[in-house]
Amino acid sequence: MQNIQEKFSDKVKHLEASAIREIFKLLAKPGIISFAGGAPDPKLFPKKELAEIAADVLNNQGEVALQYGVTEGYAPLRQWVIDRLTNQGIISEKDATIIVSGGQQGIDLAAKSLLNPGDGVICEEPSFIGGLNSFRCNNAEIYGVPVEADGLDTDKLEELLKAHSNVKILYTIATFQNPSGITMSLEKRKKILELAETYDFMIFEDNPYGELRFAGEDVPTMKSMDKNGRVVYFGSFSKILSPGLRLGFVSCDPALMERMIICKQVEDVHTNVLSQMIAYEFVTRYDIDAHIGKLRQVYGEKCQLMMEMMDKHFPSCVTHTRPEGGLFLFCTMPEQYDSKAVMQKALEKGVAFVPGATTMIDDKASYSTFRMNYSTASKEDIIRGVQTLGEVLKEVVGE
Ligand SMILES: Cc1ncc(COP(=O)(O)O)c(C=O)c1O
């Protein structure tokens, strides 16, 4: 059929293929050192343990594992998540919690349940492309608020709220933000909760990296301070166990959750039962906190190494954030330079990163920022790759 594009829905016709996915195609070139991914270190997956558990579950509980499950999630895993979030002080008995097919699905279910076309969503800039695309698909009007060293700019947020009465949701990755690595201060979290009361909006607190702290002190989640059911909290097993299992969880007001469960029934009926049973057996047979401790240590070392290499090899006018956890740090060149153009040059020299444009609401404009992931490359590749990138940057922006 010709011109099938004309038949595309308004929901999807403006979506661009993720630039990150386009970059992944180039990464197939042998020898490329990639800092573009957003994945955990595959060497740290507990493969042997999961293989044994998978065989055991299929052999001994196969009739459950291979059967339809309930939409809310495999009951033992769901209860384990509820107990963990309760013990961490994040949720209370007022909240409903379900298992979803990754935190990404949780964001989309909540967006679908709340947004009418033209409703306003305020996002951090930069932000996570999966969240942005979900709001785009739900025909939201998206407004950006800049991220400062201690989290989103709450003065700008209030200006936006005064200017736009259609705002229904604020989307924030308050802890070890993707892509900036920045963590929002406690004061700003409290301020946002106050603003949510004054201007009557919901807060989407997306926290897939919160358990990956390797420096500094924990900051309470907004959900833990949420008195009136304004916060929808998204968590994930992707970064603490395995993204391939596709397991996440959502906690929020029970009435909203009821809508989300119906939406999930439309989308995928329920989350993969086998995955849920494997994860449950892993967290009960093994010490998940010891496993997370190992991840924190390795990511802390790699982040430190990447920062040291940047400080040594990058031109002084290229700055970077100093994350206390998570998987990313964010670099900023002087504003006249476009990181997409620099990316092409870096790829020619065998190094990849994510240009800032993919993390912005207007993803067609030029930005002088880029995201660097430190979790997947080996330490040797971090040393070599950052040095090479430093040479490319010096060619572009000078010393
Ligand atoms: C900020 C943020 N939210 C949500 C997700 C989705 O994670 P998943 O669907 O694998 O749980 C990601 C994944 O990279 C992310 O960076």
Side-chain angles (χ1 to χ4, degrees):
M1 192 193 319
Q2 278 185 343
N3 292 336
I4 194 165
Q5 286 81 353
E6 286 171 12
K7 300 196 188 304
F8 292 170
S9 73
D10 291 345
K11 287 198 283 295
V12 303
K13 74 178 171 208
H14 299 298
L15 293 178
E16 290 290 331
S18 156
I20 299 179
R21 249 185 297 125
E22 296 303 303
I23 292 164
F24 276 138
K25 288 183 197 156
L26 299 168
L27 298 184
K29 249 171 69 176
I32 293 266
I33 298 177
S34 174
F35 303 119
D41 184 345
K43 295 205 169 51
L44 297 172
F45 294 146
K47 295 180 278 289
K48 189 171 128 303
E49 293 83 349
L50 292 177
E52 275 171 21
I53 289 173
D56 188 19
V57 166
L58 283 170
N59 285 324
N60 297 309
Q61 300 179 78
E63 291 185 5
V64 181
L66 299 173
Q67 187 55 282
Y68 280 118
V70 290
T71 308
E72 288 85 344
Y74 175 59
L77 183 68
R78 184 177 174 216
Q79 192 56 51
W80 183 86
V81 168
I82 292 170
D83 292 345
R84 187 170 176 87
L85 293 177
T86 305
N87 292 337
Q88 289 172 334
I90 296 174
I91 61 167
S92 72
E93 66 289 342
K94 285 189 289 188
D95 296 296
T97 298
I98 65 166
I99 304 290
V100 284
S101 303
Q104 174 68 45
Q105 185 186 46
I107 297 166
D108 200 51
L109 294 173
K112 240 185 213 164
S113 301
L114 289 168
L115 290 173
N116 287 317
D119 280 344
V121 178
I122 299 181
C123 293
E124 292 159 337
E125 276 202 295
S127 186
F128 166 54
I129 187 166
L132 293 173
N133 273 346
S134 172
F135 306 131
R136 288 177 180 129
C137 277
N138 284 290
N139 296 108
E141 187 91 34
I142 307 177
Y143 309 109
V145 60
V147 177
E148 302 177 307
D150 59 350
L152 68 83
D153 181 339
T154 44
D155 294 334
K156 286 268 161 49
L157 171 63
E158 190 155 15
E159 277 171 32
L160 276 173
L161 291 164
K162 282 188 179 140
H164 303 283
S165 60
N166 63 340
V167 173
K168 217 178 223 180
I169 295 166
L170 168 74
Y171 172 61
T172 174
I173 308 148
T175 306
F176 317 137
Q177 204 237 13
N178 179 4
S180 69
I182 284 171
T183 295
M184 192 191 291
S185 66
L186 178 59
E187 294 68 34
K188 285 193 168 177
R189 292 174 194 229
K190 288 183 177 162
K191 175 76 188 170
I192 291 170
L193 283 161
E194 272 172 38
L195 289 172
E197 290 304 321
T198 311
Y199 292 92
D200 189 22
F201 60 89
M202 301 290 291
I203 299 166
F204 281 15
E205 183 175 24
D206 187 13
N207 195 21
Y209 303 103
E211 299 243 27
L212 297 180
R213 177 176 284 283
F214 45 71
E217 297 294 318
D218 277 339
V219 185
T221 60
M222 277 183 264
K223 183 76 201 151
S224 68
M225 299 181 276
D226 173 30
K227 295 201 177 66
N228 296 325
R230 291 201 174 267
V231 180
V232 186
Y233 182 85
F234 307 97
S236 179
F237 283 93
S238 290
K239 307 299 173 358
I240 57 167
L241 185 57
S242 146
L245 291 174
R246 302 309 304 133
L247 296 174
F249 44 90
V250 189
S251 296
C252 66
D253 174 277
L256 172 60
M257 186 62 88
E258 224 180 86
R259 296 294 100 188
M260 290 172 58
I261 290 167
I262 296 167
C263 290
K264 183 166 166 62
Q265 282 163 355
V266 175
E267 282 192 4
D268 65 353
V269 184
H270 61 76
T271 302
N272 183 308
V273 182
L274 177 59
S275 280
Q276 296 185 76
M277 292 178 79
I278 291 172
Y280 176 69
E281 291 299 322
F282 182 82
V283 298
T284 46
R285 288 186 201 183
Y286 296 94
D287 183 347
I288 182 74
D289 290 313
H291 177 67
I292 294 171
K294 196 161 102 194
L295 305 181
R296 287 178 177 169
Q297 190 203 330
V298 173
Y299 295 154
E301 286 169 10
K302 286 186 171 184
C303 179
Q304 186 60 32
L305 178 63
M306 184 173 271
M307 291 194 295
E308 279 167 19
M309 294 307 290
M310 285 177 167
D311 292 341
K312 191 162 158 197
H313 296 293
F314 275 16
S316 54
C317 60
V318 179
T319 58
H320 63 82
T321 53
R322 299 198 155 266
E324 295 187 333
L327 304 185
F328 309 108
L329 50 80
F330 204 56
C331 301
T332 306
M333 300 181 289
E335 64 185 356
Q336 65 270 34
Y337 300 103
D338 181 353
S339 57
K340 277 191 233 148
V342 178
M343 168 79 184
Q344 290 305 329
K345 285 190 195 301
L347 271 177
E348 284 160 25
K349 295 269 163 65
V351 180
F353 55 74
V354 171
T358 64
T359 66
M360 303 297 277
I361 295 166
D362 176 6
D363 53 5
K364 313 265 179 325
S366 308
Y367 300 94
S368 62
T369 51
F370 57 95
R371 186 188 79 178
M372 294 280 283
N373 162 270
Y374 43 77
S375 56
T376 42
S378 66
K379 289 184 181 170
E380 294 70 36
D381 280 354
I382 291 176
I383 293 170
R384 258 186 332 124
V386 176
Q387 182 168 359
T388 306
L389 186 54
E391 287 159 16
V392 172
L393 288 168
K394 281 177 185 162
E395 270 174 36
V396 177
V397 309
E399 285 294 321

